[in-house]
Amino acid sequence: MQMSTPAAATVPISAVRIKPKASRDDWHMRAFMLVIGLYLLVALAFPLYAMLSKSFQNHDGDFIGLANYLEYFGTPALTYSINNSIFVAVITTGITVTLAFVLAYALTRSCMPLKGFFKSVAMVPILVPSLLPGIALVYLFGRQGMIPELLFGHDIYGPIGIVIAEVFFTLPHAMIIIITALSIADSRLYESAIALRASKPRIFFTVTLPGARYGLISAAFVVFTLTITDFGAPKVIGGDFNVLATDIYKQVIGQQNFEMGAVVSVVLLIPAAVAFFVDRVVQKKQVALLSARAVPLQPNPNRRFDSIMLGYACLVSLFILGMLAVCQYAALVKFYPYDLSLGLKNYQFDLMDGGGWESYFNSIRMATYTALFGTIVVFVGAYMVEKGRGFRLGRGFFQLLAMMPMAVPGLVLGLAYIFFFNAPNNPLNFIYGTMAILVISTITHFYTVSHLTAVTALKQMDAEFEAVSSSLKQPFYKVFSRVTVPVCLPAIFDIGIYLFVNAMTTVSAVVFLYGPDTTLASVAVLNMDDAGDIAPAAAMGMMIFYTAAGVRILHYIVSAYIERRTQKWRMR
Amino acid sequence: MENTKTRKPASPRLPTESPFLRITDLTKMFGAFTALHEISLEIYDGEFVCFLGPSGCGKTTLLRAIAGLDIQTSGTVEQGGKDVSALPPSERDFGIVFQSYALFPNMTVRKNIAYGLENRKTARSEIKSRVSELLELVGLPEQADKYPAQLSGGQQQRVALARALATSPGLLLLDEPLSALDAKVRAYLRHEIRALQERLGVTTIMVTHDQEEALTMADRIVVMNDGFIEQIGSPMEIYREPATSFVADFIGTMNFVPGVVESAESVKVGKIILQCDLDESLDSGEVTVAIRPEDIEVQEASRGANQGNNVVEVSVEEVEFLGSFVRADFASDSIGNVRLRADLSINLVRRLDIVEGSTISVALPRERIRVYAKNG
Ligand SMILES: Nc1ncnc2c1ncn2[C@@H]1O[C@H](COP(=O)(O)OP(=O)(O)OP(=O)(O)O)[C@@H](O)[C@H]1O
Ligand SMILES: [Mg+2]
């Protein structure tokens, strides 16, 4: 009988450490990890570093310490924007979260009809650039608008306009988060509350609200970040009301003061980053709640409550669709407000500034490349992080890098790209002003959400697929292409569509980066609006909407088809 | 534990025969935590070996080290006379079945099984016939075109087995292959897997924390605890002669009574002295005396056997009817403040009219008593 007697728990010091031999598979995998890690370094870390260092330099590139910052904080005209930004973001957060909560409540806790319709309508703002609600507001409440009386003499250009536009723009994001939080409620809690004869308001305040608290907090931080970093709405409807995002734009485009642009960027980075990290912590808690999932709540019909909720949902839908309808109307009217007959005159983009129809097709090209390459980069990257062997430290670092873009405002990223890629000594200088830099910046800008979608899908895969495959002496790319990709196909499509839609609508990151041959539709909206061609801007904005909506519908059809084809093996 | 039938090892082994798998001083650390402490182990060709132990003792870690999936910190693994210690899984020769089965959900049973046969310059027709052969082997010829989600747990398990065996590996590794199944299917598959293994003669290591599974299936059992091997032996050896009190306690039921070494051949328990075989290492001091419930013999006056030898007067404290036998708890002033549990046949209980409160004599046969160092 062989036995190793339980001796003291010591590691044999004399023993030789085994140095695992890397297989060919391991080498391939390491090469992939290296390439993708390098991508994130070049596309994110280096540019941000370049921007940071620029904020400590003078115009000639000499290090001048905190001089730029001192100048910034010594200029009240500039620092006042900090207050403005925070003011607008806080007000928007309060309004949006309240509106979104009631809407989410109606969608999850009432028995009102047409829930699917109302939810889809509430998602519409995701499909338009944030410039568009601003344009709608100009037509509604502007000096020659349709119903300026409703503002009782207040000016739509300024905080009021910005807040309304931002509420429109952020509503879907908040709604999704709160719906998730509300649908994990445990019906047993409600049953016991009812058994204790708690009144309805009491149940609402003691059970419903606390149950959704993480969702509410998370939604609040997301809305705050989106608003404070948004550039489109304040640009169109802000008037003389300066915020940080517009300041960056003005410093860079207006005054060519790149160093000050960098300083403002750093200032804007701080609240965005703080909000982001608080949100991550809160989301982790919410996930913990989710996994301890209990009996889901089934709403009971209640005539009065359901009709109130229905009325509310109609109002919200009216708000959203109304804004779009105004834009579409403005786009079709020949010469508002003098000639109200309809026509396609405003669609002759080639006659205006902003790049004409070419910019629309450029946008589609850019969005297609972004979706295609972005999905590949993101999914392969997430796969390496999740399923890779070895490189522990590197993979952890990659994960950190992948989370960063969420905290970086688009304008900041765009400016960082100018500093990094336009540096004459950068060998990658040649991509400056090309389609490639637009695609790279957009992929990077929207990396985090895509990465998290991919990681979530990959985590649901059996952890041993790779082990089984290598025990059968098959290379990892075989299990990747034959199993991982087919099983994750729905998530892969989600990532692609997310990237496509955002590439169509984004303004902030690309506004510094487009060149004469690579004008984009969303930037054209901005430039036409700037030049006073508001109607064509609205027309172009609506083109973006129809394109994004069309792609979404296509995605819906394709997903349904895939689901039907694969349900045989997806069923559990 | 009646089902510990001895099994003839798959192939007769001479001590000189070189082992198929030799593990030497294998240590695995996760950071500062040592999951395996200098494990040494030899496994012979055609053997069915079970790693048995409580949750977290390192069974899976050892299996994964053997597979090369999580290579050990130090120590060597030799397979078929070749040092494979540092090799990645793809350069070793084994098939593996995980607890989750890890069947590819988007492939049919046939494709799953064929997965390892592709890219090997094997002709399509050859792959096809091999897959059919394997389906036949695991008894699933009709399920070939179904997807894993359409199969029962037991069927999925057998597909995973067929996939692992497809490439005819020299070593089959099974990590708790039956634990996700319900009791009935489990009992059936135990038998199936063992029969299959014997038919193919493939050296097999199975990880389990179910002692019954290990006792019924294995040629040899490796009992593990806290990253150490407690004992290696046939099911009968493990059950009859547990080398440590951990093994004695972990496998089956055991009475433990504290005692003190009296002489080279006896131990004092309470007020009495028990004759027993002592290990030389236990020359003095406090010990733990162990005896299985079924080894306690009730003395019948008419037969008069064993008189005077390790016989104790006990009172019957509790009698519990358990179907085919009776479990009785005894107490005695002479052995101190512990109860002895005994398994008695129904006949005997009826014949002697053993009821709660009666006083009887029991013998603790010398050759059935095991003595362990106090905290050993
Ligand atoms: N990757 C890891 N990192 C850190 N510790 C680990 C890791 N894998 C295992 N361990 C630890 O090593 C010990 C042995 O784990 P192992 O999985 O081998 O146990 P096991 O005997 O297979 O248990 P079970 O019956 O629960 O499967 C445990 O304490 C476990 O927590
Ligand atoms: Mg285990």
Side-chain angles (χ1 to χ4, degrees):
Chain A
M1 194 182 304
Q2 311 115 318
M3 260 193 62
S4 69
T5 29
T10 49
V11 195
I13 297 169
S14 57
V16 192
R17 261 193 113 82
I18 297 287
K19 209 168 165 311
K21 176 183 166 219
S23 66
R24 200 181 225 222
D25 238 24
D26 290 330
W27 285 118
H28 289 160
M29 219 172 217
R30 283 173 201 186
F32 267 108
M33 283 192 230
L34 213 65
V35 168
I36 298 222
L38 220 58
Y39 170 84
L40 272 192
L41 278 183
V42 170
L44 182 68
F46 293 164
L48 284 181
Y49 175 78
M51 189 201 69
L52 207 62
S53 50
K54 200 71 168 183
S55 73
F56 296 105
Q57 290 172 6
N58 66 11
H59 203 70
D60 299 324
D62 306 320
F63 181 80
I64 50 166
L66 289 172
N68 289 331
Y69 288 88
L70 291 177
E71 186 191 337
Y72 176 79
F73 285 104
T75 317
L78 285 175
T79 49
Y80 208 72
S81 299
I82 301 179
N83 296 339
N84 286 351
S85 273
I86 291 177
F87 174 74
V88 166
V90 167
I91 304 271
T92 304
T93 303
I95 297 175
T96 303
V97 171
T98 312
L99 291 179
F101 177 76
V102 180
L103 187 61
Y105 197 76
L107 288 171
T108 53
R109 299 294 169 80
S110 82
C111 291
M112 70 176 189
L114 296 175
K115 281 186 191 170
F117 168 78
F118 289 123
K119 192 172 167 188
S120 310
V121 169
M123 298 299 291
V124 158
I126 285 185
L127 306 177
V128 303
S130 62
L131 303 155
L132 208 62
I135 292 175
L137 291 175
V138 171
Y139 275 97
L140 282 171
F141 303 110
R143 274 148 215 145
Q144 293 178 318
M146 303 172 192
I147 43 172
E149 317 78 46
L150 283 188
L151 284 182
F152 303 109
H154 293 284
D155 194 356
I156 190 69
Y157 293 97
I160 299 181
I162 299 178
V163 167
I164 300 178
E166 298 292 11
V167 167
F168 175 92
F169 171 61
T170 54
L171 190 70
H173 300 272
M175 183 191 71
I176 295 171
I177 296 170
I178 300 176
I179 283 182
T180 311
L182 282 177
S183 33
I184 57 172
D186 187 348
S187 71
R188 289 171 304 182
L189 275 178
Y190 287 84
E191 277 156 19
S192 49
I194 291 166
L196 290 169
R197 294 177 199 252
S199 67
K200 282 227 164 108
R202 203 179 138 79
I203 294 179
F204 181 83
F205 285 107
T206 55
V207 181
T208 309
L209 272 186
R213 67 184 180 280
Y214 292 129
L216 288 173
I217 297 171
S218 179
F221 278 107
V222 167
V223 172
F224 181 88
T225 314
L226 282 172
T227 307
I228 207 166
T229 58
D230 182 45
F231 159 70
K235 176 77 184 63
V236 173
I237 198 83
D240 301 329
F241 189 82
N242 291 331
V243 294
L244 291 170
T246 46
D247 278 355
I248 298 177
Y249 184 73
K250 279 182 197 153
Q251 290 295 334
V252 173
I253 300 289
Q255 309 180 8
Q256 300 280 313
N257 187 346
F258 291 95
E259 293 69 31
M260 199 46 79
V263 170
V264 187
S265 292
V266 173
V267 172
L268 180 58
L269 206 49
I270 293 166
V274 168
F276 166 75
F277 284 110
V278 174
D279 180 51
R280 288 301 302 165
V281 173
V282 172
Q283 291 236 342
K284 283 224 172 81
K285 297 208 164 138
Q286 163 117 23
V287 169
L289 272 184
L290 239 170
S291 46
R293 190 182 178 109
V295 189
L297 187 73
Q298 280 297 329
N300 293 319
N302 174 334
R303 201 87 176 267
R304 209 168 78 97
F305 174 70
D306 291 345
S307 5
I308 294 175
M309 287 295 130
L310 180 63
Y312 175 79
C314 286
L315 276 181
V316 173
S317 302
L318 189 72
F319 167 62
I320 292 168
L321 295 180
M323 298 277 258
L324 287 190
V326 167
C327 282
Q328 187 55 72
Y329 175 70
L332 290 174
V333 165
K334 280 211 180 110
F335 192 38
Y336 187 86
Y338 307 105
D339 177 2
L340 294 184
S341 60
L342 303 182
L344 290 177
K345 173 177 121 344
N346 295 322
Y347 283 83
Q348 295 170 328
F349 300 128
D350 290 337
L351 304 180
M352 339 263 171
D353 281 348
W357 276 101
E358 198 198 324
S359 59
Y360 173 71
F361 294 111
N362 279 343
S363 261
I364 291 186
R365 245 175 2 117
M366 199 275 268
T368 308
Y369 292 148
T370 302
L372 189 68
F373 295 115
T375 308
I376 294 172
V377 170
V378 166
F379 194 78
V380 174
Y383 182 80
M384 293 304 156
V385 173
E386 274 304 303
K387 312 280 178 184
R389 282 160 54 97
F391 266 8
R392 289 279 291 271
L393 215 69
R395 284 189 291 144
F397 183 63
F398 183 88
Q399 178 81 352
L400 189 76
L401 273 182
M403 296 311 296
M404 265 169 63
M406 185 86 130
V408 178
L411 279 180
V412 176
L413 188 70
L415 187 56
Y417 270 42
I418 298 185
F419 294 143
F420 182 66
F421 288 105
N422 201 25
N425 54 359
N426 187 332
L428 290 171
N429 185 286
F430 68 91
I431 71 165
Y432 195 73
T434 64
M435 184 57 97
I437 198 170
L438 296 178
V439 172
I440 292 173
S441 71
T442 310
I443 293 174
T444 311
H445 187 185
F446 299 105
Y447 200 95
T448 306
V449 171
S450 317
H451 177 75
L452 289 176
T453 309
V455 165
T456 308
L458 287 169
K459 276 201 196 301
Q460 285 164 2
M461 306 273 294
D462 194 303
E464 312 293 5
F465 283 161
E466 279 68 25
V468 165
S469 184
S470 65
S471 81
L472 293 169
K473 313 214 172 7
Q474 302 292 337
F476 83 91
Y477 49 80
K478 182 169 171 188
V479 75
F480 178 78
S481 61
R482 297 260 319 263
V483 182
T484 313
V485 170
V487 172
C488 291
L489 209 54
I492 291 174
F493 272 119
D494 284 348
I495 295 169
I497 207 76
Y498 169 85
L499 287 174
F500 186 94
V501 167
N502 278 297
M504 281 304 291
T505 59
T506 190
V507 184
S508 54
V510 291
V511 75
F512 293 145
L513 301 175
Y514 71 93
D517 297 332
T518 54
T519 53
L520 296 173
S522 53
V523 179
V525 176
L526 176 87
N527 286 337
M528 290 191 282
D529 176 76
D530 234 7
D533 295 327
I534 307 183
M540 185 65 98
M542 289 309 285
M543 287 306 296
I544 295 176
F545 166 68
Y546 292 127
T547 309
V551 170
R552 266 254 169 249
I553 292 169
L554 194 69
H555 169 234
Y556 183 79
I557 295 169
V558 171
S559 301
Y561 172 75
I562 291 178
E563 191 162 315
R564 227 185 33 247
R565 284 246 348 229
T566 60
Q567 69 174 357
K568 235 192 187 153
W569 55 265
R570 279 192 201 277
M571 73 176 191
R572 343 209 303 130
Chain B
M1 207 54 49
E2 247 57 57
N3 41 12
T4 57
K5 50 182 186 281
T6 26
R7 197 191 304 276
K8 279 265 161 289
S11 53
R13 271 184 302 281
L14 309 164
T16 50
E17 187 187 349
S18 66
F20 175 67
L21 191 72
R22 175 185 279 146
I23 294 160
T24 317
D25 293 335
L26 187 142
T27 296
K28 174 72 186 179
M29 311 203 37
F30 292 111
F33 171 73
T34 310
L36 295 173
H37 301 261
E38 297 186 65
I39 299 284
S40 294
L41 175 66
E42 293 179 346
I43 292 172
Y44 294 87
D45 196 24
E47 251 191 323
F48 193 115
V49 172
C50 275
F51 293 171
L52 175 67
S55 186
C57 69
K59 309 179 292 286
T60 300
T61 307
L62 181 53
L63 196 76
R64 292 181 74 92
I66 293 171
L69 293 167
D70 278 312
I71 289 176
Q72 68 276 15
T73 313
S74 64
T76 57
V77 179
E78 286 163 74
Q79 184 175 341
K82 183 176 148 213
D83 186 350
V84 297
S85 306
L87 296 187
S90 53
E91 292 173 36
R92 300 189 188 197
D93 174 28
F94 70 97
I96 191 163
V97 175
F98 292 101
Q99 189 174 354
S100 63
Y101 314 143
L103 292 176
F104 304 132
N106 59 326
M107 295 185 191
T108 58
V109 167
R110 187 189 300 282
K111 290 240 175 76
N112 261 286
I113 297 175
Y115 186 87
L117 299 170
E118 296 158 1
N119 295 0
R120 296 183 162 219
K121 301 206 178 82
T122 323
R124 237 164 228 285
S125 58
E126 215 171 302
I127 293 179
K128 207 167 166 213
S129 68
R130 174 76 179 138
V131 170
S132 305
E133 186 187 329
L134 285 156
L135 281 166
E136 205 72 50
L137 194 69
V138 296
L140 294 171
E142 301 90 49
Q143 316 292 342
D145 295 311
K146 287 194 178 169
Y147 288 99
Q150 297 169 311
L151 301 180
S152 73
Q155 290 172 327
Q156 291 182 22
Q157 203 276 336
R158 283 183 278 166
V159 176
L161 197 59
R163 183 178 60 182
L165 291 170
T167 53
S168 311
L171 177 64
L172 180 62
L173 305 175
L174 311 169
D175 190 358
E176 310 218 15
L178 302 176
S179 65
L181 303 170
D182 58 50
K184 224 170 168 175
V185 183
R186 194 154 33 175
Y188 168 72
L189 277 178
R190 256 183 220 166
H191 185 77
E192 286 284 288
I193 291 179
R194 179 66 220 213
L196 189 67
Q197 187 268 342
E198 275 175 346
R199 185 135 47 102
L200 300 175
V202 55
T203 311
T204 301
I205 302 176
M206 183 173 97
V207 162
T208 178
H209 61 249
D210 180 340
Q211 47 163 306
E212 213 174 296
E213 212 165 279
L215 290 169
T216 52
M217 293 176 80
D219 290 323
R220 281 194 304 150
I221 297 176
V222 178
V223 185
M224 297 177 62
N225 182 32
D226 260 346
F228 292 98
I229 291 182
E230 293 273 341
Q231 185 173 5
I232 302 174
S234 69
M236 193 60 119
E237 280 167 346
I238 299 272
Y239 189 78
R240 280 294 175 195
E241 295 147 30
T244 65
S245 62
F246 171 84
V247 178
D249 193 25
F250 187 71
I251 312 264
T253 320
M254 185 68 97
N255 290 298
F256 288 106
V257 185
V260 180
V261 174
E262 179 76 12
S263 75
E265 297 208 325
S266 64
V267 172
K268 187 167 185 192
V269 171
K271 290 178 203 141
I272 59 166
I273 296 199
L274 292 178
Q275 304 296 315
C276 52
D277 300 320
L278 281 181
D279 213 272
E280 291 111 55
S281 62
L282 301 170
D283 44 6
S284 67
E286 295 187 38
V287 291
T288 301
V289 178
I291 186 161
R292 299 245 180 238
E294 69 269 26
D295 290 335
I296 295 180
E297 290 174 0
V298 174
Q299 299 296 289
E300 296 184 55
S302 58
R303 306 200 178 180
N306 243 337
Q307 207 66 25
N309 198 1
N310 286 357
V311 172
V312 193
E313 192 101 323
V314 295
S315 63
V316 180
E317 295 287 308
E318 211 178 314
V319 178
E320 195 183 0
F321 175 65
L322 287 175
S324 55
F325 68 99
V326 166
R327 175 155 287 180
D329 280 0
F330 303 141
S332 165
D333 287 341
S334 49
I335 56 166
N337 193 19
V338 283
R339 285 190 169 195
L340 284 181
R341 172 161 288 183
D343 291 345
L344 310 174
S345 83
I346 305 231
N347 273 338
L348 181 87
V349 170
R350 214 176 283 143
R351 197 161 60 234
L352 298 182
D353 192 23
I354 297 173
V355 291
E356 280 170 31
S358 37
T359 305
I360 53 173
S361 302
V362 295
L364 311 177
R366 170 186 183 141
E367 66 281 7
R368 297 267 68 102
I369 292 178
R370 314 265 322 159
V371 181
Y372 303 105
K374 179 107 193 254
N375 295 313

